[in-house]
Amino acid sequence: MNSSTRPSPELLLPVGTREMLEAAVANGADAVYFGIPHWNARGRTEDFSLEDVGEMIRYARVRGVRTFLAMNVLVFERELRELPEFLAKVISLEPDAFIIQDIGLARLIRAIAPTQEIHASTQMTLASAESVNLAAKLGFNRAVLARELSLKEIARIKDATPLELEVFIHGALCVSYSGQCLTSENFGGRSANRGQCAQSCRLPYRIFVDGKEYRDTDAQYLFSPHDLCALPRLGELEEIGVNSLKVEGRLKSPEYVAAVARAYRKALDRTPLEASDKEPLEVLFSRGLRTGWLDGDNHQELVDGTFSNHHGMYLGTVVRVERGCVVVELDDGFVAGTGPRPGDGILFEEPRFAQSAGARLYASQVVHEHKGKPSTRGCCPQLLKMEFGRDFDTRQVARGMKVYRNDSPALEKELRKTFTDREQAKRIPVKMLLEGCIGSPLSLTVQDYSGHSVTAQGDTPIEEARNSSVVAGKCDAGKSDTLNDGKKGAGKNDAGNKLRDLAQKELSALGSTAYRLDNISVSVAPNAFIAGKMLRTLRQKAVEALDNARSEWHELNPSANAGRALLNSVKFANVKTVAQSSTGNKIPTLVAMRTKQQVVKCCPPAFAGMTIEPAGMTKDPVISVLVRSPEQIPALEGLDIDNVVMDFDWGVKYDEPLEQIRELGFRAGMATLRIHKPGESHYLKNILRLCPDFALVRNLGALSILKESGIPLAGDYSLNAANCLSYDWLLSQGLQTLHPSWDLNSTQLFDLLGDIDGNRMELTLHQYMPAFHSEYCAFARALTTGRRFPECGKICTQHKVEILDHKGERHFLQSDAECRNTLFVGKPQSALKLLADLRSAGVNHFRLEMLQEDAATVRKKALIYTQAIRGKISIEEAIRLAGVEEKYGLSEGQLFNESVWHDRKKNDAGK
C-alpha cells in the first residue's frame, strides 16, 4: 500500500481528568486512553468511578473518538481472584479496548469477553517481531512497542507481523525499558509495574570510577532523558504504516493535551505547522524536545545531564544585567513572534554551580547590539531585553546563565478556550428534515454524514393555526422549502416563512451538543400551528436518539462466571500436578515429549538424546549459580551445586567456559539478554549453535525463537509472571521452570504458590537487584564523548563504575552484550529467611547470582548458601556469614516489604 492510499494513523491522547478528555477530543484526537480505577500505570492520576468511565466512553464515542482503558499493571494472585466481577462490570461499559501488561489479566479478559479488544502495553517490553507475534497468540489485537526502537527497527517489525502497532511520539521518556524497571521499588518502595513510579531516574547521582569520584562531567542528572517529540519524523512513521501514534502524559494539564493534540493533528492533516503551534509544546512542559531513539542511539543527545525538571523553551544566554532588566542573546533557533509575553515565567540557570532564579516577566523587547558590545557568537546578535518587577532582585542573575521560558498564562488561556469556548468547539455536521401534516404528529429526522439517521416524533397531532389571516392549506409532502447554512428559501406565504424561521432558530440551537446544523429541510403545512417549545422538545429527543445511535456497540456479553471457570481450571490442573509429583509420578514436559531426533537436530553428538529433568522430578534442592565472567567459574569447583548459568558481557566467548563447567560436573546454562530487538538474533543463534544444557529465557522474543529448539528452557523474573494465569501460559510455551516477578513480596509470593506447582518455580536466594535496564549507555555519556558504539571505545570494559544515590548508597553499573546498561543495587538481597517456608511450599529450584565478585568471594558466598540450602548450617548462621561478605551490607529487599504505597485521590474509585 502506498502512502496516498494508506489510512492515516490514529492520534492517541492521554486522559487523566474529564477536562483532559474534552481537550483531546476538541483538538483532534482519534482515540484517548485513561486508567481503570486502581488498576493503571499512573497511580497519581485522578481515580474515576465506574459511572465516570461510562460517561466518558459515551462522550467520546458520540464524537467519533475511541476509548482505551489502561489496566497496564501486574496483578497479584489474591487480586486476580477478585477481578472477574469487576472486569465484567467494566467491559459492560463498552470500552473500545483495554491496554494490558499482565499476561494473566489478558487471559482473564479473553475468557470473560472473547471479542473484547486488548492491546499489549509497552510494559510488556515488546521490541521485536518475534515477541509481538507471540503476544498475538495470547489474543492481543495491538502491540504498543518499546520506546527504544529506531525507525528502521519499527519498520522491520511492521514488515514481519500482522498485528497493529502503536508507537509513542511525544512526552516523557523513561531511561529504563518499560516493564523492566525496579528503580522506584528498590529506592522508594514504589513499583513502576504497579503504577507507582517515583521517577527515581530524575534524581541527581554521583559517579565513582574505580573507587574514586569522577568529577570531570556535567552529568549530575545522569539518568534523566530529554522529552520525546516525533514531529520531525512523523512522515517516516506514516510511511512505515504504524497504526497508532501515542502521546504520553496522563499527569499533565488539559492545556498540554490541547497543545499536543492540535500540533500533531495539523501535521497529520498535512497542514503546515507554524511556530505558534510548536511554541506551547516547549513552554507548557518540556525537558528539552528530541526525537529519542527514533534516529538510533545517541547517548550524548538523549540525556542533557544538567537538569531533570521542566525547563520549557530555551531562549538564550545572559550577556548583561542592568537594574530591573536582563539582556539575553537569543538562541539561533529562536523564532520571532513566539514570545515571551508579559506575565510569562522566566528561569535563569547556571547548572555548573547549581544556581537558578525565576521571575515573572513585566515586558520584553527585541533590540540590536550596539557597536563595541561583546557577543558570545560573533557579530550582529539578536538580543532580548527583559524587564522585571521590583520584587525580583536581578543580582541573582549573572552573565552566561542560560535562560528559559517555562510558563505562560496567556498561552494557557488561549489553549483553554479550544475546549471550553462553545464558539470554538469542533462539531459534527448534521442534516435535518422537519415534516408534519395537520392532524398528524410533527417529526424530525436527523442524519450525520457517517450513515446514522434517527427520527423523533411529537406527542400530539399538529393543529391548524387559529389566526384567520393565515390561509388554510394542505400539506404537500412532495414539496419542501430548504434552508441551507441559515439561508431562507422561497416561501409560499408569510406564515410559511415564519415557520421556517422558527425551525431554523430552534433546531440549530445545538451549542450544548456534539453537533452543528449543516442543512435543514422543512415540509410542514404553512398554516400549521407550531410552538417553539414543541420544536425544542423534538430537537432534544432527536439529539438523544442520534447520540444513542452513534454510541451503539457490538455485543460483548461479559461473563464473570467464565472468568472464574478459567481461574478454577488452572488452579485445579496445578493442584493435580502437585499431587502427581508427590506420589512419584513424573511431570510430562516438552523436553520429555520431544523425540530423540528433535534433540539431535540441536545438540552435538556427545549430548544427543540427553534430557534435563525439571524440578518436579526430585525432592532434593536444585542449586544454580549465575556467573558474569569466566574468571568466576573455577571458584565453583567441588561445591555442592547443580547448574552454572553464564551471563557474560560483550565479546566474551562461551565455548571454553561451557566445556569448563561441564568438566566440573555441572550442567551449563546460557542466559539470553533481557531485550530482543530486530537484528539481534545472533546471540540466540550462538545458544542454538553451542546447545547448552539449558537456557535462561528473559524475554518473549527469545522464548518464541528457542521454544522449538529442543534445549530445556527456564524462564526468568523479567517475564513478569505474577499470578497463576501468567505462570500457566508461560510454562505452556515450553518453560520447565519459571522465576516470579520481583514485584511480589513474600505474602504475594506464597499466595501464588498456593495456586501453582511449586516444583516448577525457581527463586533467587541471593542477588544484586537490577534497578533498571536501559538502551541508554551511562558509561558513554559520562566518561566519553561517543554517541554510540564503537565511538565510546567500549569504556565499560575498562573501568568499574559505581553510582552514589541521594541516600548515600552505592550501586553497580554494568553493561551487557548489546551495550545496554543495568544499574544493580549495591546492597544485595537475600531470601534465606524464606527458605524453610519455600521448601514446605514445594519450591526446589534456587539460584545464586554473582556480579563483580572476585573468585574467592564467589566461592565463599556460594558455599554459605549451598550449606544452608542443604541443611548443613542454620539459616541464622548463613545470614550472619553472608552479611560479612558484603561490601555494602545485606538487604532483605522487596520480598520482605509488606507496606503498600497509597496516594491521595480526588475520588473513590468504583463507586
Side-chain angles (χ1 to χ4, degrees), residues 413-470:
K413 184 177 180 181
E414 291 173 7
L415 289 164
R416 191 166 187 79
K417 286 181 180 179
T418 65
F419 58 92
T420 59
D421 187 346
R422 290 185 177 181
E423 298 300 318
Q424 293 191 34
K426 292 183 179 180
R427 301 187 185 278
I428 302 161
V430 294
K431 299 180 290 185
M432 291 186 180
L433 171 61
L434 183 67
E435 298 177 290
C437 296
I438 303 298
S440 299
L442 190 65
S443 72
L444 176 63
T445 299
V446 182
Q447 280 184 305
D448 62 20
Y449 290 87
S450 301
H452 301 97
S453 180
V454 297
T455 300
Q457 285 195 329
D459 297 326
T460 58
I462 302 172
E463 297 181 1
E464 185 176 350
R466 296 179 181 179
N467 191 329
S468 59
S469 63
V470 176

Side-chain angles (χ1 to χ4, degrees), residues 75 84 102 128 162 194 233 306 365 407 429 537 568 638 676 695 869 890:
V75 180
D102 192 286
S128 68
R194 296 282 291 175
R233 298 293 176 264
T306 63
Q365 179 184 6
D407 181 35
T537 301
N568 291 334
H676 178 244
I869 295 169
L890 192 66

Side-chain angles (χ1 to χ4, degrees), residues 428-434 444-449 480-489 500 503-504 507-508 510 515-523:
I428 302 161
V430 294
K431 299 180 290 185
M432 291 186 180
L433 171 61
L434 183 67
L444 176 63
T445 299
V446 182
Q447 280 184 305
D448 62 20
Y449 290 87
S480 66
D481 298 316
T482 302
L483 299 174
N484 291 308
D485 299 323
K487 297 179 181 179
K488 186 169 64 176
R500 285 189 299 276
Q504 176 73 30
L507 298 181
S508 64
L510 298 169
Y515 313 107
R516 64 173 174 82
L517 182 58
D518 184 54
N519 177 289
I520 183 170
S521 299
V522 179
S523 181

Side-chain angles (χ1 to χ4, degrees), residues 1 16 40 92 110 115 126 198 207 251 255 349 359 411 450 563-565 628 700 712 777 786 794 808 812 819 858:
M1 184 182 293
N40 70 92
S92 69
R110 271 279 172 262
T115 60
L126 302 178
I207 307 168
L251 296 176
E255 292 81 6
E349 190 169 73
L411 264 182
S450 301
R564 286 194 296 271
R628 288 193 165 91
L700 292 178
C777 182
K794 198 59 179 175
F812 304 109
C819 294
V858 167

